Amino acid sequence: MTKEELIRYIELGNYPPVVYCEKKYEGICCLLRVTKNNTVFLDYDHTYDDRDSEGGFRATFKFDSFENMLSSIEKFTHKSIAELTINPYCYELFESPEPQFTDLRLDVYNGKIDMMEDYADFIIGDLYWSGLYQKQIKPDASTEEILEWIKKCQNTEY
């Protein structure tokens, strides 16, 4: 893809275009979705369709400039922008009767998942995944422990 093509997709599309899709776990892929304001969604999910996603990991990265964002995408993917494809066809990578969410949860907790670099700011918006990433809750936490973590976050400036 070219930089101009990406800009056009970002400006005209209803949904952030996927520029990277790679299988990381059985039934779970790592996706990069680029959106407006130099923002990238990094997803580890079991579906390609962002509208149907529920339960996957998402980190949102904001960059100081479009150029910094492109550079970070290239570092993350180990590919030049020219080598990447907008909305690549990779649906078969998600096929699995049982996506390996246990492995993903363990890797988030242990800091073993790939994350982007050189960002100005980032957030993990989902309290459960954020709690795992911050090691505030464990991958095998009970429902009560998870609810207590969520309650704690709601009572503080998280």
Side-chain angles (χ1 to χ4, degrees), residues 1 6 17-24 30-34 40-44 63 68-86 88 114-118:
M1 77 178 159
L6 180 58
V18 174
V19 297
Y20 175 75
C21 178
E22 183 178 330
K23 184 176 183 175
K24 292 293 185 173
C30 173
L31 298 113
L32 292 182
R33 301 175 198 277
V34 182
V40 176
F41 299 139
L42 168 64
D43 296 336
Y44 285 83
F63 296 89
N68 286 354
M69 180 183 73
L70 293 181
S71 175
S72 185
I73 290 171
E74 289 178 331
K75 286 179 189 176
F76 184 87
T77 63
H78 304 287
K79 295 180 179 183
S80 71
I81 293 300
E83 295 174 278
L84 298 173
T85 304
I86 295 174
D114 294 333
M115 298 286 269
M116 299 196 76
E117 299 177 7
D118 304 325

Side-chain angles (χ1 to χ4, degrees), residues 15-57:
Y15 299 99
V18 174
V19 297
Y20 175 75
C21 178
E22 183 178 330
K23 184 176 183 175
K24 292 293 185 173
Y25 304 89
E26 186 61 35
I28 299 173
C29 291
C30 173
L31 298 113
L32 292 182
R33 301 175 198 277
V34 182
T35 189
K36 296 178 179 173
N37 302 320
N38 307 322
T39 302
V40 176
F41 299 139
L42 168 64
D43 296 336
Y44 285 83
D45 211 342
H46 63 101
T47 180
Y48 184 86
D49 191 345
D50 198 33
R51 296 166 289 186
D52 294 334
S53 178
E54 51 183 75
F57 172 90

Side-chain angles (χ1 to χ4, degrees):
M1 77 178 159
T2 66
K3 188 167 91 170
E4 291 74 22
E5 287 174 320
L6 180 58
I7 291 169
R8 188 170 48 248
Y9 269 85
I10 292 169
E11 290 177 354
L12 298 177
N14 290 331
Y15 299 99
V18 174
V19 297
Y20 175 75
C21 178
E22 183 178 330
K23 184 176 183 175
K24 292 293 185 173
Y25 304 89
E26 186 61 35
I28 299 173
C29 291
C30 173
L31 298 113
L32 292 182
R33 301 175 198 277
V34 182
T35 189
K36 296 178 179 173
N37 302 320
N38 307 322
T39 302
V40 176
F41 299 139
L42 168 64
D43 296 336
Y44 285 83
D45 211 342
H46 63 101
T47 180
Y48 184 86
D49 191 345
D50 198 33
R51 296 166 289 186
D52 294 334
S53 178
E54 51 183 75
F57 172 90
R58 171 171 280 177
T60 303
F61 294 87
K62 294 194 178 260
F63 296 89
D64 288 331
S65 69
F66 191 78
E67 295 302 324
N68 286 354
M69 180 183 73
L70 293 181
S71 175
S72 185
I73 290 171
E74 289 178 331
K75 286 179 189 176
F76 184 87
T77 63
H78 304 287
K79 295 180 179 183
S80 71
I81 293 300
E83 295 174 278
L84 298 173
T85 304
I86 295 174
N87 297 326
Y89 185 86
C90 60
Y91 298 96
E92 68 280 353
L93 299 177
F94 294 91
E95 293 177 8
S96 174
E98 294 185 36
Q100 294 178 318
F101 276 106
T102 300
D103 293 343
L104 175 60
R105 284 191 289 271
L106 285 168
D107 285 352
V108 168
Y109 182 80
N110 290 313
K112 292 184 178 180
I113 63 165
D114 294 333
M115 298 286 269
M116 299 196 76
E117 299 177 7
D118 304 325
Y119 51 85
D121 192 22
F122 101 100
I123 186 170
I124 300 170
D126 182 273
L127 290 177
Y128 173 74
W129 289 107
S130 181
L132 281 178
Y133 184 77
Q134 296 176 43
K135 294 189 177 203
Q136 297 296 313
I137 55 174
K138 294 182 178 178
D140 60 352
S142 68
T143 302
E144 292 78 22
E145 290 170 316
I146 294 169
L147 291 174
E148 189 64 34
W149 162 248
I150 292 171
K151 190 177 186 180
K152 177 182 172 186
C153 291
Q154 291 172 337
N155 292 331
T156 62
E157 287 197 31
Y158 170 66

